[in-house]
Amino acid sequence: MDRYFFLFLKMNVSKWLEAHTDRSANLITLPRNAILADISGTGDYNLVITDLKFKTDNKSRLKTFRGTILISDQALPSLPNSLISFFADRLEPRIPVVGVACGSEVFFYKNLKPFYQFRVPSCPLIDHESNIWKEIIETKQFDVDKMVESLKEIPYSNLSSRSQQLLTEYSLTKAEAFIRKYMDSIPVKDDTITCMITLERTSKDKTSISCPIIATEFSNIYILDPQNFSIIQQANTCNTAATPFLIRCSGLYDVEFRILIATREGHICLLRKGWLEGKSLIQLKSDIVDMVLVPGDNFIVVASVDKIIQCFTKRGQRLWSSEVNSPITTMCLVRLEHLSTSLVAIGLKNGSIQFYQGRQAVDYLSIADSPSVIVFGQLGQEENVLVVITAGGSISFKILKRTAEFSNVPQESTPLIQSKPLPLPKRSKLFLEQSIRERQHALEIHQTFQQDLIRLRLTAARALIQNLTDQSGIGNEKEQIKLSAQVLGLGPKFTIVLTLENINPTKPLVGLKVTFHVNPLYYILSNYVIKIPLIPPSLSFKMQIKAKEIMEESGNEEQSNSNAIRVFVSRQEFSIPVLAATINMPPTELIA
Amino acid sequence: MGLFQKLVNLLGVGRKEVNVLVVGLNNSGKTTVVNSFKSEEDKMTDIVPTVGFNIEKFQNQNLAFTAFDMSGHGRYRDLWEHYYKECHGIIFVIDSSDRLRLVVVKEELDLLLQHPNICQKSIPILFFANKMDCKDALSSVKIAAALGLDKIMDKPWHISASNALTGEGLQEGVEWLTQQIRENLNVKH
Ligand SMILES: Nc1nc2c(ncn2[C@@H]2O[C@H](COP(=O)(O)OP(=O)(O)OP(=O)(O)O)[C@@H](O)[C@H]2O)c(=O)[nH]1
Ligand SMILES: [Mg+2]
């Protein structure tokens, strides 16, 4: 509170003009029961509201205002629950249809005259209940007590209204008379409308044709054709028990749309084009009061009974939450097209309205008492009018000043979670063609890949063998000696050239000898031990020995590993060699 | 012969160029008012909401009137102030049946009166409480009170109820304005 007070002192001048307030209007209405629509098609927008009367002898009314003046007041058949307006056709002048939901019916008005009545389909009875009534219809006999007892086995809310009424009859005689009266027909279980909204059909302009969407007590969602009011899509709210009470939508019916349904169980369910059942997107811990969708980002702003406002992305990730100082009664989207921004007006029980731009409270209005409904839009000729009806029955009209700006307030709307999707490149035509090709020729592509992989491995193995047989690069890191050998000749006489390298850049090598070890049955060497002179740092010593293969007809192949000459480099006084290597001798190529 | 020309002939002011600025909210009837000043042959039959502004001229042997008929739509109201400097008189048209927007009229009038190019000048302002034929129309007295016109001390002002469709009340107002402008011109010479 202090913060707003401070903010208020700083701004001092209100951004709103007080156009008109009537404290004795005596209007009783609820959220979603006020709309602004050009009902006569003259460009002079009207305010249409329902005025609720809860006493049975007093009918609720549908009231229409031109500017601040009441111009029409008609009785409604029963308690209204929500109000919509939409364009149903392209006839000139463009006159929208106003729809009022009362009980299981929607009454459609054009030019303030009722012209169509839509009834939501009734629900099938529970088997048990229909059996009870069927039996009475067939036998024409009944026992009131027994019947009441068996009806009581069914949960009260699942009964038809006729059975419910029967259970509330106290006296036996009255109950009997009641049953007799309805003895010839099976009762119907009416479905009650709980909320409505409209969804644009093909385009998003101010006068585009929209479809009414209706949600009911028994969790049904109906999308109606705006011209003939037939049901064009029907779905269930959620796969779990859910009672819709508030519905919002975005998108276009013909293209793609998202319907968000808030339920009394605290879920927000998502329903999309073609779905037969919605799915729960968000679950709140406390009861939902109101919900708005902020256009553009399609953020979902939800108010709950615990005085908390939360904002979610369209995928249901929570971006921020904020607590207000008084219970929230209603919310309203304030679209400011001339400023290209949208605010969310939050009506509080203490008689104030807070305006949020993103997560920031940017403005504040004080009104007579707790607002029961807030609407914002064009009224008369003025585009930015805020109409507030309060629980105390007052109505007040406020106009946003032309010079009002909200952008000078420092905006830290950076969401807690990165809401933007990863910057994936656009799917190019090439990409699409490639993926189609991959799907069609999966087997060939896989086989070609495997062949190439095997070839690669083979090449790698060959290179390794090559490297091993090169007989170079054997060394001892610690002693910093490297030995390489080279075999020259075709056989049976070979020359072996050995190079001993001192890779130590500072110390010379001293006191080394090289010993050769062969199977004397196959090879005879010119020299078996060679004493190595001093090898200065970074230099090498080359030596040469002759080997002669003993050619024998048999046995040569059997001991294949015997055609190897082992070389040991050792220090004169130690028995453990410093370096050991094996020279694989090539077979003698016999020239025929 | 147009109303303006008749008047001009009658008053016989010297060959002078006179600019009048016609302002007021959109749909108040500014273009309709200006249209009824024009000679029969120049009159428009179809009046549509003005975009930006229109310039209408009335020529007379003694006096040339140039009326700047501004658009009253919210997004064009910023344009008004650009013509404050050059104008010799202001016609402020009010839709007297639009009770809702009377606060907006007051707001725009206050902005106009506070403007540096206006607040120094003793420029005559003529108010037309237009659409007096409408059922919900407020009287010119009520409108004057709602707008707080009695607080304008440093400028001559006048309000007349009018019906721009029939021309009723326009003559009275314009007579007053012409008189004021002529006085101002005479003082300068
Ligand atoms: N009943 C009635 N209608 C009027 C009167 N004067 C103008 N109108 C109507 O009001 C509407 C608006 O008139 P315009 O002259 O276009 O209004 P404007 O002030 O020029 O409007 P913008 O150009 O949008 O600022 C038209 O339909 C006129 O026919 C009047 O005295 N009485
Ligand atoms: Mg105009």
Side-chain angles (χ1 to χ4, degrees):
Chain A
M1 188 66 218
D2 289 343
R3 209 174 107 220
Y4 299 118
F5 196 53
F6 172 64
L7 205 79
F8 216 48
L9 277 179
K10 229 172 63 180
M11 298 192 302
N12 212 354
V13 194
S14 174
K15 294 184 168 78
W16 300 86
L17 298 168
E18 287 290 332
H20 179 72
T21 300
D22 183 358
R23 282 177 190 263
S24 55
N26 236 328
L27 299 169
I28 301 168
T29 188
L30 292 170
R32 300 171 288 283
N33 273 272
I35 50 167
L36 296 168
D38 179 14
I39 58 160
S40 48
T42 54
D44 231 358
Y45 279 63
N46 301 83
L47 168 71
V48 184
I49 60 163
T50 62
D51 187 9
L52 278 69
K53 298 282 182 294
F54 294 101
K55 284 187 200 131
T56 43
D57 53 337
N58 214 341
K59 287 235 160 113
S60 296
R61 330 265 326 165
L62 182 68
K63 291 186 170 171
T64 308
F65 293 77
R66 181 192 295 131
T68 56
I69 302 160
L70 181 69
I71 55 160
S72 155
D73 182 359
Q74 26 190 323
L76 287 168
S78 58
L79 260 189
N81 121 321
S82 55
L83 205 53
I84 51 169
S85 85
F86 57 94
F87 285 95
D89 52 49
R90 300 204 174 278
L91 299 176
E92 291 288 341
R94 300 297 303 276
I95 294 174
V97 173
V98 172
V100 192
C102 299
S104 340
E105 284 161 318
V106 188
F107 297 90
F108 292 106
Y109 294 75
K110 207 166 182 178
N111 242 328
L112 293 175
K113 289 180 200 72
F115 79 102
Y116 192 82
Q117 186 176 340
F118 171 83
R119 195 178 181 86
V120 290
S122 53
C123 289
L125 285 190
I126 289 186
D127 284 346
H128 189 53
E129 187 187 354
S130 76
N131 287 342
I132 295 168
W133 284 97
K134 261 188 205 147
E135 200 187 308
I136 295 171
I137 291 163
E138 277 160 24
T139 59
K140 301 277 173 213
Q141 278 170 4
F142 58 90
D143 173 356
V144 178
D145 281 333
K146 222 180 89 193
M147 190 170 163
V148 166
E149 277 315 304
S150 49
L151 280 177
K152 274 183 179 164
E153 288 164 15
I154 305 166
Y156 186 79
S157 59
N158 290 345
L159 287 172
S160 67
S161 57
R162 191 199 291 177
S163 304
Q164 284 178 349
Q165 211 177 334
L166 177 63
L167 291 186
T168 54
E169 292 291 357
Y170 296 113
S171 81
L172 199 74
T173 47
K174 263 197 183 164
E176 206 180 312
F178 184 82
I179 297 168
R180 266 186 213 295
K181 196 171 155 195
Y182 293 108
M183 219 160 66
D184 333 300
S185 65
I186 293 269
V188 286
K189 192 162 82 177
D190 286 333
D191 200 354
T192 314
I193 299 167
T194 56
C195 49
M196 296 195 293
I197 196 82
T198 58
L199 171 65
E200 278 108 337
R201 201 157 187 170
T202 47
S203 64
K204 270 232 167 288
D205 46 279
K206 235 177 168 181
T207 57
S208 57
I209 291 178
S210 304
C211 303
I213 304 176
I214 299 169
T216 70
E217 192 73 37
F218 291 119
S219 198
N220 294 311
I221 309 287
Y222 301 103
I223 303 179
L224 304 188
D225 183 302
Q227 251 124 52
N228 58 17
F229 302 106
S230 59
I231 295 167
I232 47 176
Q233 187 181 330
Q234 179 178 355
N236 190 18
T237 301
C238 193
N239 49 7
T240 57
T243 320
F245 82 99
L246 172 55
I247 185 164
R248 299 283 178 219
C249 62
S250 64
L252 295 170
Y253 178 79
D254 283 346
V255 187
E256 175 63 61
F257 59 82
R258 298 161 59 87
I259 300 176
L260 287 162
I261 308 138
T263 72
R264 291 204 191 107
E265 292 77 10
H267 287 271
I268 293 171
C269 302
L270 172 68
L271 183 70
R272 299 179 74 160
K273 189 179 169 84
W275 289 12
L276 293 176
E277 190 168 68
K279 63 175 188 200
S280 175
L281 189 69
I282 301 162
Q283 187 178 8
L284 270 76
K285 287 185 197 76
S286 45
D287 287 350
I288 299 167
V289 175
D290 212 338
M291 167 174 80
V292 295
L293 295 189
V294 182
D297 319 299
N298 274 330
F299 287 167
I300 309 162
V301 180
V302 187
S304 46
V305 287
D306 49 5
K307 300 191 273 191
I308 290 180
I309 308 155
Q310 296 182 66
C311 178
F312 299 88
T313 65
K314 63 176 185 179
R315 292 190 175 78
Q317 288 168 301
R318 198 169 79 163
L319 294 176
W320 52 265
S321 72
S322 175
E323 192 170 351
V324 287
N325 54 10
S326 173
I328 300 156
T329 57
T330 182
M331 285 207 290
C332 169
L333 184 72
V334 176
R335 274 190 93 145
L336 303 173
E337 253 144 67
H338 64 292
L339 297 175
S340 349
T341 186
S342 292
L343 311 181
V344 178
I346 294 154
L348 303 182
K349 199 162 187 165
N350 65 6
S352 63
I353 300 171
Q354 284 185 8
F355 295 87
Y356 274 73
Q357 185 176 37
R359 61 197 332 201
Q360 284 255 312
V362 292
D363 199 12
Y364 176 90
L365 259 182
S366 194
I367 47 163
D369 58 320
S370 148
S372 50
V373 64
I374 304 173
V375 269
F376 181 85
Q378 180 164 359
L379 178 61
Q381 292 287 331
E382 187 59 43
E383 281 171 2
N384 302 313
V385 185
L386 189 80
V387 183
V388 187
I389 298 170
T390 67
S394 76
I395 184 166
S396 139
F397 300 83
K398 288 167 200 291
I399 298 174
L400 186 70
K401 283 186 188 169
R402 178 169 65 89
T403 49
E405 269 180 37
F406 294 96
S407 48
N408 56 352
V409 180
Q411 209 184 342
E412 44 131 336
S413 65
T414 32
L416 293 179
I417 306 165
Q418 183 69 34
S419 60
K420 278 194 191 132
L422 289 172
L424 295 175
K426 277 226 173 85
R427 281 204 247 168
S428 64
K429 201 174 156 229
L430 189 74
F431 172 82
L432 290 177
E433 279 170 1
Q434 174 70 5
S435 61
I436 291 167
R437 206 167 63 84
E438 277 174 9
R439 243 172 283 146
Q440 282 171 348
H441 307 283
L443 196 68
E444 287 96 316
I445 291 171
H446 178 72
Q447 282 170 349
T448 316
F449 173 75
Q450 288 298 327
Q451 277 172 14
D452 284 349
L453 185 64
I454 289 166
R455 273 204 199 105
L456 178 72
R457 281 180 182 152
L458 184 67
T459 316
R462 274 203 187 124
L464 180 68
I465 296 286
Q466 180 69 39
N467 204 13
L468 289 175
T469 51
D470 258 359
Q471 303 171 336
S472 59
I474 297 158
N476 185 328
E477 284 286 307
K478 217 162 118 203
E479 300 283 340
Q480 301 202 300
I481 305 169
K482 210 168 140 192
L483 177 73
S484 49
Q486 215 178 350
V487 180
L488 307 173
L490 296 169
K493 281 185 178 164
F494 298 96
T495 302
I496 300 167
V497 181
L498 284 173
T499 312
L500 202 60
E501 204 181 334
N502 178 9
I503 48 179
N504 191 322
T506 49
K507 267 198 226 159
L509 278 174
V510 272
L512 293 179
K513 64 177 181 188
V514 175
T515 314
F516 297 92
H517 177 259
V518 287
N519 188 336
L521 291 175
Y522 303 122
Y523 289 103
I524 298 166
L525 302 184
S526 60
N527 212 339
Y528 289 91
V529 179
I530 301 171
K531 279 196 168 180
I532 310 291
L534 178 142
I535 308 175
S538 302
L539 287 179
S540 55
F541 174 74
K542 254 190 192 150
M543 62 206 111
Q544 210 179 62
I545 57 160
K546 300 262 191 278
K548 188 176 177 254
E549 190 176 347
I550 301 161
M551 301 300 288
E552 254 179 50
E553 288 305 303
S554 64
N556 208 351
E557 285 101 52
E558 289 158 29
Q559 291 179 312
S560 55
N561 64 338
S562 57
N563 57 347
I565 300 174
R566 287 193 201 113
V567 187
F568 302 100
V569 181
S570 52
R571 287 229 149 71
Q572 265 159 3
E573 58 272 28
F574 296 106
S575 55
I576 302 166
V578 175
L579 207 150
T582 307
I583 302 166
N584 289 312
M585 297 300 287
T588 301
E589 313 240 335
L590 289 172
I591 300 151
Chain B
M1 208 185 251
L3 185 64
F4 242 78
Q5 295 187 357
K6 261 187 210 157
L7 271 165
V8 165
N9 288 346
L10 212 83
L11 297 164
V13 189
R15 262 190 177 276
K16 284 285 166 205
E17 294 261 347
V18 174
N19 295 333
V20 281
L21 185 64
V22 187
V23 293
L25 304 190
N26 52 317
N27 199 53
S28 56
K30 297 177 293 296
T31 307
T32 318
V33 165
V34 171
N35 197 43
S36 65
F37 294 155
K38 292 205 260 181
S39 59
E40 271 330 307
E41 59 265 31
D42 290 347
K43 269 202 171 87
M44 291 184 285
T45 46
D46 234 19
I47 293 175
V48 292
T50 310
V51 176
F53 63 91
N54 292 325
I55 297 175
E56 306 290 353
K57 284 190 192 237
F58 315 100
Q59 198 71 41
N60 185 276
Q61 49 186 336
N62 292 322
L63 195 61
F65 274 97
T66 307
F68 292 87
D69 171 22
M70 307 304 293
S71 166
H73 196 279
R75 64 172 160 269
Y76 295 120
R77 283 179 214 158
D78 280 339
L79 296 176
W80 298 0
E81 62 183 33
H82 297 293
Y83 301 89
Y84 290 167
K85 214 168 186 172
E86 290 98 60
C87 67
H88 301 93
I90 292 174
I91 299 178
F92 201 116
V93 185
I94 302 149
D95 176 351
S96 41
S97 68
D98 191 353
R99 291 162 188 242
L100 177 71
R101 291 210 293 175
L102 213 51
V103 273
V104 185
V105 175
K106 180 161 168 48
E107 170 81 4
E108 295 298 348
L109 176 64
D110 289 347
L111 287 174
L112 181 145
L113 293 172
Q114 285 156 19
H115 194 276
N117 290 346
I118 294 280
C119 67
Q120 309 292 341
K121 274 207 264 187
S122 169
I123 181 173
I125 307 176
L126 168 63
F127 295 93
F128 277 126
N130 196 32
K131 303 201 185 182
M132 60 185 256
D133 54 303
C134 287
K135 201 179 85 208
D136 305 319
L138 289 168
S139 69
S140 56
V141 177
K142 277 198 177 141
I143 288 177
L147 298 181
L149 298 187
D150 53 320
K151 292 189 192 75
I152 307 175
M153 301 298 188
D154 54 346
K155 290 175 188 57
W157 61 268
H158 181 83
I159 184 162
S160 42
S162 68
N163 176 353
L165 295 180
T166 59
E168 215 179 326
L170 295 181
Q171 183 162 358
E172 178 217 326
V174 167
E175 256 172 46
W176 175 84
L177 186 67
T178 314
Q179 182 71 31
Q180 292 296 323
I181 293 175
R182 202 175 59 153
E183 274 173 25
N184 275 359
L185 289 173
N186 288 343
V187 167
K188 276 182 200 156
H189 292 280

